[in-house]
Amino acid sequence: NALPSWSDKFPSTCPQLHEQLVSRPEDAPRPVYLAIGSEDRFYVRFADGKQEWIGSEECTEDIKRKPVSRVTFGRDWDDYFILYKDGSCKFAGVP
């Protein structure tokens, strides 16, 4: 008997991201960066540079602001940290 892995629960813990990933055509660019948060929040960047995410309105505005290097989510819906490719950052609700 194989032990369950974190991916066994992935469809139920992050259903919108799961749908994003499984509905892509096989020849579509693959994910190169992925951040998963609570409350079905996520950020994913694909090899072609396209981004998809679910987060608060403020987080969405900040992701659109300029090219993103990294994203992480805090405990609450409005908590996030974004590191931009130019080295600057934007955050809310995290220390």
Side-chain angles (χ1 to χ4, degrees):
N1 289 341
L3 293 174
S5 70
W6 71 271
S7 61
D8 293 340
K9 293 184 180 182
F10 182 67
S12 64
T13 58
C14 205
Q16 293 185 63
L17 175 58
H18 180 259
E19 182 59 31
Q20 279 277 348
L21 297 176
V22 299
S23 66
R24 294 176 62 80
E26 282 193 36
D27 61 345
R30 297 291 172 214
V32 295
Y33 178 75
L34 175 64
I36 300 172
S38 61
E39 301 183 52
D40 206 21
R41 294 174 296 167
F42 70 87
Y43 171 89
V44 60
R45 184 174 56 248
F46 297 95
D48 63 356
K50 183 180 177 188
Q51 310 171 99
E52 298 286 342
W53 67 88
I54 292 180
S56 69
E57 186 174 323
E58 185 179 357
C59 181
T60 292
E61 291 171 10
D62 290 337
I63 287 172
K64 292 179 177 180
R65 184 178 304 237
K66 51 187 166 178
V68 170
S69 176
R70 299 284 184 252
V71 176
T72 190
F73 298 101
R75 179 179 32 200
D76 297 324
W77 174 254
D78 294 328
D79 299 348
Y80 64 92
F81 179 92
I82 299 170
L83 177 63
Y84 295 106
K85 289 186 177 182
D86 68 4
S88 64
C89 65
K90 180 76 172 159
F91 59 90
V94 293

